[in-house]
Amino acid sequence: MKASAQVVVIGGGVIGASVLFHLTEMGWTDVVLVERKELTAGSTWHAAGGMHTLNGDPNVAKLQQYTVNLYREIEQRSGQDCGIHMPGGLMLADDRERLDWLRMAQARGRYLGMDMEIISAAEARELFPLLAEQHFIGALFDPAEGHVDPTGVTRAYAICARQAGAEIYQHTWVSDLRQRPDGTWDVITDSGEIHAEHIVNAGGLWAREVGRMIGLELPVLAMEHMYLITEDMEEVAEYNAATGRELPMALDFSGENYIRQERGGMLLGTYEQACVPWSPREAPWTFDKQLLTPDLDRISPSLEIAFKHYPAMADAGIKTVINGPFTFAPDGNPLVGPVPGLRNCWVACAVMAGFSQGGGVGLTLARWMTSGDPGEDIWAMDVARYGTWANLAYTNAKVRENYSRRFRITFPNEELPAGRPLHTTPVYDRLTAHNAVWGAGYGLEHPLWFQRPGEEPREDVTFRRSNAFPVVAGECTTVRERVGLTECSNFAKYRVTGAGSAEWLQGLFTNRLPRVGRINLTAALDPSGHIVGEFSVARVGTDDFFLFGSQIAEAHHSRWFRGHLADGVRFDVLALSLVGLSLAGPHARDVLQSVTDTSLATEDYPFMTFRRIDVGMIPAYVGRMTYTGDLGYEIWVAPEYQRALFDLLWQAGQPYGIGLFGFRALMSLRMEKMFGTWFREYRPIYTPAEAQMHRSVKLDHDFIGRAAVEEELARGPARTLVYLDVDPDPAEPADVVGDEPIWHDGTVVGWITSGAYAHYSRRSLAFGYVPTELAVPGAMFEVEIIGQRRPARLLSEPVLDPTGHRMRA
Ligand SMILES: Cc1cc2nc3c(=O)[nH]c(=O)nc-3n(C[C@H](O)[C@H](O)[C@H](O)COP(=O)(O)OP(=O)(O)OC[C@H]3O[C@@H](n4cnc5c(N)ncnc54)[C@H](O)[C@@H]3O)c2cc1C
C-alpha cells in the first residue's frame, strides 16, 4: 500500500469508483481508493440498476444525461461488460395532476434536448402489454431509460481508473481520519496509514459513520428497499418473440412501483408508505454484502395495486425478493462537494440513484477538486445546502417523508410537513395568531401569506392558482396603497469586521463598497466570471459591514467567504442572532417616524441608508430599502426585541391601515419591479453580463473574475436574462413556476427562471434566459405552461414605477 497519495477515496461502491475514474480523467493520477470489503459491497451490488434522465431539477437531469451516456464509453475502454439495456421507459399517469406533471417534465426536458413523448393510455399499453389501461389516462415515454449491471459498471469505472494509474485497495478498512495542521490527512486503515492531501467520503451505507470519524453528522440515512423478481413469464416471452425487443420499463406513480424485464421474468420494486430506516443510529461495520429479511406484508398494499395495474403479475411465480438498504439525504438528492469548515475534505454520498447520477456526481466532484469549480450548477446536490441543524432526528423525519413520497407530486406551492416547525423567531406566535400560513427554508419558518380571520390557514396545492390568490392580492394592495408589515428574518446575515475588511471585500465584490451609512447591491464571482453570490452590503464603519444574502445559501456562501478569508478579517454568520421586520408602502415612513426620534425625511435618511437608530426603546439597524420596490425599511434587531418591535409597529400602523404580508406577496411585488432573485435569475451558471447585473459591476477596481467579465463584455454575452409579460390561458389561468421552456419561431430557445402573478399590476410576469440576439424590446415568445404554449412579450422595464420614484420618494 502506498504511504502517501494526493487523494484517498473512501468507499468502493459505484460512487467512489466514479469519483476515482473522473479524478484520473482530470489528470490526477496519484489517487487511491480504499474499500473495506470488496468493490460493490455496500448498497451497490444488490441495486436494480435502473436509470433515467428525467429529474425535477434540469441541472440534475443534465448530469443524469451525462451518466447514462457514459456507460458505453467506459464499457468500451475497460472491456468490462456493463450489461447496458436501453428499452426506454413509461411514466404512467392515473389522474390529471400527474399528467400535468408529466407534461411539465416533458417541457423541461426540451431545452436539454430530451426527446420524450406524451402518449395515451392505449398507446402505453401497445408498448407495454402487461398494462391494464383502464387505470390510466396517459403516459410519458422516454427512450433514454434503461438498466445496467451494477457490478459491471463499478468494475468498469475501476478498470479505467487503474489504467490511468489509480490504485485500489480492497479489504482495507478506514478506521480513523486525522487532520494535520497543514490541512492534509492521515488515513488510518487496518493495513497501515496513508498520508493524503485530500480525502473523499464515498462511504455509501457508512458515509455517516465515516463522517463521525471527523466530528461530522452528515444528514444521510439508509432505508430498506424491496424489489421482487418473478419466474419466467409467458407474456414476456411472447412480447420478446413478437417484437424482438425487451419490454420497456414502467413507473406507476399511483401504485408506488417501478417494473422492468429481468431476463425472462419481471422485476417489480416499491416505495411503500410504511417505510423503514435501516440502522437509524449507527450502521454496523459487520454488515457485508448482506441482504435484509424481506417483509412482503409491508409492501402488500403496493403489490395489490401492481397486480391490478399489471394483471399478469398476479399469476406470476415469485422467484426472489430482495430487501437491501440504500441511503438518502433529507430531500433525496446527493450530498456532494467540499465540507464547510474542513480543508481538503470532500463528500460524495447519499446518492439514492447511483446508476442515474453516479457519473455526474463523479464528474462534478472531480472538477471541483482539481479546478476549484464543479463546472455545472450542482446546487441541488451541494452538501452545503444543509446546516448543522439537519441532525440525526431531522434527517430521519425528512428521509422517511421523502421515501414515502418518492412517487408523489410535490406541487410548486406545496410545503412538506416533516421536521417542522424547527427554527422559529420570537414573532412566530404573533404571526400564527394572525392566521399565518407557514413555509420553511433552511430550517426556519417564514410566513407565506395570512389567511382571512376565521378560515383555516391552509393552502390548496396546485399547478394553477390556489386559494391564496385573492388573499395575496389583498396583501399586495395593502403594501402598494397603505403600509404592509412582514418578517424578513429569512435572509442570511453576515458581519465582517477587523482591519483590512474593506480591502478584502473589495477584492471579492463586483460593485464598489458603499460609503459608511449606506447599502448597495453587489455580486461575487468565481475566476471564470460566474456568479457565486448576490448580496446587499451595508457599511456601518470603515472596516465594519453587514452582508445580507440568500438564507438557503448560508452554509454555501460562508464556505466560500471563509475559503478566501484574509488575515485580520473576521467573518461571522449572524444566523438568528439578528432578526428582522420590514415595513413597506407609501405610509411606511409615517409609521416608523411615529416611533423614532431620528428624522426619516429623505434628505436625512435617503434611499439605501443603513444606520443604527433607536425604534421606540429598541436598538436597531435600519436599512431604507425593501424587496417590494416601495418606500420601505428593513429593521434588524436582536431576537429579544423582535416581539416588542412587532407590537410597536403594529400599533403605530393602525391609523394608516397597516396589514401583514407574506412571502407570496413579496414574490409578486418584486416581479412587477423586475427584481431578480438568487438561485433563480442569479445562479452559478450565469455571468453578470448575462444576468443584466450591470449596475452592480464596476470595473474601477480589481475583483475575482474581473478579467472574465471584461472579456465577456467585449464580445457580448451569448444569452440574456429577459423579463416577460405572459398571457396565461384565460379559461384555466396558470402562471409560470420556473424551468418552463421558452419558444421562438417554433423552436425552444431558452428557459424560465421564475415568475409570478403581479397582483397589483394585474399581469402574469416571468424571467428567463434567451439568446442575446433575440432579446429585443417587444419581441414575442411563447412560454410552455402545463403543455400549452402561451404568448409572452419581452418588456424592457418594470411594469410598475420604472423610474423607482416610489422607493426613493
Ligand atoms: C434494493 C435496491 C435497489 C436499487 N435499485 C436502484 C436502481 O434501480 N437504480 C439506481 O440508480 N439505484 C438503485 N439503488 C441505489 C443504489 O444502490 C445506490 O444509489 C448506490 O449503490 C450508491 O452507491 P455508493 O457507492 O454511494 O454506496 P455503497 O454501494 O454503499 O458503497 C460504499 C462503499 O464504501 C465502503 N466503505 C464504507 N466505509 C468504509 C470505510 N470506513 N473504509 C473502507 N471502505 C468503506 C463500503 O464497504 C461500500 O462498499 C438501489 C438500492 C437498493 C438497496
Side-chain angles (χ1 to χ4, degrees):
M1 194 165 79
K2 275 183 165 183
S4 69
Q6 191 173 5
V7 183
V8 171
V9 178
I10 303 159
V14 66
I15 300 305
S18 168
V19 171
L20 191 75
F21 163 71
H22 283 94
L23 283 170
T24 60
E25 289 287 284
M26 310 285 151
W28 281 19
T29 52
D30 180 18
V31 293
V32 305
L33 183 149
V34 181
E35 164 55 48
R36 57 190 271 275
K37 298 290 177 189
E38 55 196 67
L39 293 181
T40 77
S43 55
T44 297
W45 71 279
H46 51 62
M51 56 177 183
H52 50 252
T53 43
L54 198 77
N55 188 287
D57 182 325
N59 297 295
V60 177
K62 201 168 152 197
L63 293 173
Q64 295 190 180
Q65 213 172 20
Y66 166 79
T67 304
V68 171
N69 292 335
L70 185 63
Y71 292 130
R72 295 257 177 244
E73 184 187 331
I74 58 169
E75 184 174 68
Q76 200 198 2
R77 282 170 57 179
S78 64
Q80 164 71 50
D81 182 2
C82 291
I84 306 166
H85 294 245
M86 295 298 290
L90 289 164
M91 299 202 172
L92 302 164
D94 69 319
D95 64 14
R96 181 178 173 221
E97 274 74 29
R98 180 54 74 182
L99 197 57
D100 283 347
W101 186 87
L102 290 175
R103 285 203 179 99
M104 292 162 82
Q106 179 201 25
R108 271 196 299 268
R110 289 193 206 281
Y111 53 81
L112 295 174
M114 288 160 69
D115 178 24
M116 298 181 291
E117 202 187 342
I118 295 284
I119 57 176
S120 66
E123 288 167 318
R125 186 183 146 74
E126 258 172 52
L127 288 170
F128 190 76
L130 301 193
L131 191 75
E133 82 184 58
Q134 69 273 22
H135 300 294
F136 299 98
I137 62 166
L140 179 76
F141 179 69
D142 178 3
E145 276 191 33
H147 54 99
V148 283
D149 166 24
T151 304
V153 164
T154 310
R155 284 196 187 133
Y157 280 132
I159 293 169
C160 291
R162 273 199 190 113
Q163 284 167 351
E167 293 188 14
I168 296 177
Y169 308 126
Q170 300 189 70
H171 302 285
T172 305
W173 175 50
V174 174
S175 58
D176 204 2
L177 295 162
R178 294 185 199 136
Q179 191 160 34
R180 295 189 185 180
D182 67 356
T184 61
W185 293 90
D186 288 317
V187 180
I188 322 296
T189 80
D190 53 3
S191 311
E193 291 188 18
I194 313 177
H195 178 220
E197 191 181 333
H198 299 270
I199 53 168
V200 179
N201 176 357
L205 291 179
W206 296 269
R208 191 182 47 181
E209 284 66 25
V210 172
R212 285 176 186 163
M213 291 176 189
I214 48 177
L216 284 177
E217 188 62 43
L218 289 167
V220 52
L221 175 71
M223 298 293 291
E224 294 193 13
H225 181 65
M226 278 180 267
Y227 64 80
L228 56 85
I229 298 175
T230 68
E231 303 284 0
D232 287 356
M233 292 167 63
E234 241 174 67
E235 295 81 352
V236 174
E238 277 167 19
Y239 179 92
N240 296 159
T243 64
R245 288 196 310 266
E246 176 180 333
L247 275 158
M249 319 201 340
L251 221 154
D252 172 8
F253 297 100
S254 57
E256 295 163 343
N257 68 58
Y258 56 90
I259 186 166
R260 71 163 169 85
Q261 185 173 339
E262 172 69 18
R263 298 176 193 276
M266 296 301 290
L267 179 156
L268 174 75
T270 66
Y271 279 87
E272 65 281 4
Q273 292 303 298
C275 56
V276 174
W278 176 72
S279 300
R281 290 193 174 75
E282 181 120 34
W285 292 110
T286 47
F287 192 79
D288 168 20
K289 262 206 163 179
Q290 274 160 263
L291 290 173
L292 307 168
T293 311
D295 180 356
L296 284 177
D297 283 349
R298 200 162 82 220
I299 62 169
S300 65
S302 312
L303 291 182
E304 263 171 45
I305 303 178
F307 295 159
K308 249 199 302 171
H309 291 182
Y310 313 120
M313 291 295 288
D315 302 323
I318 295 178
K319 188 163 73 182
T320 330
V321 182
I322 300 285
N323 183 9
F326 69 129
T327 52
F328 293 76
D331 60 5
N333 277 334
L335 299 173
V336 180
V339 174
L342 276 177
R343 272 174 72 192
N344 300 346
C345 178
W346 306 80
V347 288
C349 64
V351 188
M352 59 79 53
F355 298 93
S356 297
Q357 299 180 335
V361 167
L363 173 78
T364 48
L365 186 70
R367 278 194 191 142
W368 212 338
M369 293 177 69
T370 55
S371 74
D373 178 1
E376 302 285 341
D377 186 334
I378 65 150
W379 163 250
M381 298 187 181
D382 191 337
V383 61
R385 70 189 184 279
Y386 292 104
T388 48
W389 47 269
N391 67 4
L392 192 69
Y394 175 87
T395 302
N396 188 301
K398 274 304 200 198
V399 168
R400 281 187 291 119
E401 176 184 70
N402 188 278
Y403 185 100
S404 63
R405 293 182 54 87
R406 174 94 176 96
F407 290 151
R408 298 261 175 99
I409 296 173
T410 299
F411 290 89
N413 67 336
E414 186 163 8
E415 295 282 333
L416 301 179
R420 295 179 51 207
L422 184 58
H423 294 163
T424 56
T425 62
V427 293
Y428 179 78
D429 295 344
R430 294 276 197 284
L431 301 183
T432 299
H434 282 276
N435 231 3
V437 178
W438 292 99
Y442 204 67
L444 175 68
E445 297 292 315
H446 60 263
L448 298 173
W449 55 285
F450 293 86
Q451 177 59 288
R452 293 181 176 120
E455 292 183 37
E456 192 190 352
R458 192 187 52 79
E459 184 163 350
D460 303 337
V461 293
T462 173
F463 292 123
R464 295 179 170 78
R465 294 174 180 170
S466 76
N467 59 326
F469 191 82
V471 186
V472 172
E475 292 179 9
C476 292
T477 305
T478 300
V479 172
R480 292 287 186 234
E481 296 185 355
R482 302 193 304 277
V483 55
L485 177 65
T486 194
E487 167 152 44
C488 57
S489 306
N490 60 333
F491 278 101
K493 294 137 275 162
Y494 314 101
R495 186 116 185 219
V496 180
T497 50
S501 297
E503 195 187 338
W504 177 62
L505 287 177
Q506 193 60 96
L508 299 180
F509 288 156
T510 56
N511 204 348
R512 252 171 252 142
L513 295 178
R515 296 192 311 275
V516 173
R518 308 281 300 157
I519 324 170
N520 70 14
L521 304 179
T522 192
L525 310 180
D526 67 14
S528 67
H530 290 94
I531 306 167
V532 166
E534 188 239 359
F535 304 96
S536 304
V537 184
R539 190 170 195 171
V540 289
T542 308
D543 274 324
D544 192 350
F545 298 85
F546 286 91
L547 312 180
F548 300 90
S550 158
Q551 192 196 27
I552 45 166
E554 186 181 279
H556 171 89
H557 283 145
S558 46
R559 178 180 64 194
W560 185 82
F561 281 111
R562 289 194 169 116
H564 291 82
L565 206 58
D567 286 345
V569 176
R570 186 178 160 145
F571 176 86
D572 288 307
V573 178
L574 299 180
L576 294 178
S577 67
L578 193 68
V579 293
L581 294 176
S582 174
L583 274 176
H587 287 300
R589 178 168 30 225
D590 300 326
V591 174
L592 192 58
Q593 189 64 83
S594 71
V595 291
T596 182
D597 290 337
T598 303
S599 167
L600 299 177
T602 291
E603 54 276 25
D604 299 322
Y605 216 100
F607 179 56
M608 299 303 253
T609 295
F610 189 90
R611 278 168 52 190
R612 160 73 186 81
I613 66 172
D614 284 342
V615 178
M617 291 182 281
I618 300 159
Y621 284 98
V622 176
R624 186 180 155 183
M625 68 184 295
T626 84
Y627 199 38
T628 62
D630 227 303
L631 169 66
Y633 303 86
E634 283 170 357
I635 306 160
W636 299 99
V637 297
E640 57 269 31
Y641 291 111
Q642 198 196 24
R643 271 202 285 234
L645 179 67
F646 179 87
D647 293 345
L648 187 69
L649 296 174
W650 188 245
Q651 206 49 48
Q654 292 310 312
Y656 302 97
I658 196 168
L660 292 169
F661 69 105
F663 185 74
R664 297 250 189 279
L666 189 64
M667 289 300 106
S668 167
L669 297 165
R670 68 105 186 171
M671 276 312 295
E672 61 193 1
K673 284 295 300 170
M674 204 176 167
F675 292 160
T677 185
W678 177 249
F679 277 133
R680 301 305 314 183
E681 287 69 48
Y682 314 130
R683 288 185 75 109
I685 43 172
Y686 305 126
T687 65
E690 291 173 337
Q692 302 286 291
M693 297 176 100
H694 307 299
R695 271 184 294 182
S696 301
V697 181
K698 304 279 180 329
L699 295 173
D700 56 3
H701 65 284
D702 205 15
F703 55 85
I704 296 175
R706 183 191 148 129
V709 169
E710 282 182 298
E711 210 178 288
E712 188 179 27
L713 288 175
R715 64 167 194 276
R719 60 188 171 198
T720 297
L721 181 66
V722 291
Y723 181 54
L724 300 170
D725 187 356
V726 186
D727 181 14
D729 177 2
E732 260 194 311
D735 307 298
V736 305
V737 293
D739 300 326
E740 295 86 349
I742 303 176
W743 293 74
H744 183 74
D745 271 353
T747 42
V748 173
V749 293
W751 56 88
I752 292 296
T753 50
S754 72
Y757 187 74
H759 289 274
Y760 196 67
S761 309
R762 296 174 196 270
R763 317 271 273 269
S764 186
L765 299 172
F767 280 113
Y769 280 88
V770 299
T772 302
E773 65 273 16
L774 298 178
V776 288
M780 287 305 297
F781 297 89
E782 287 170 314
V783 178
E784 187 172 338
I785 304 176
I786 321 178
Q788 267 199 53
R789 279 153 63 174
R790 302 300 310 166
R793 191 165 57 89
L794 191 149
L795 303 176
S796 25
E797 59 179 26
V799 295
L800 186 93
D801 189 23
T803 60
H805 174 76
R806 295 174 77 108
M807 54 193 185
R808 289 187 173 82

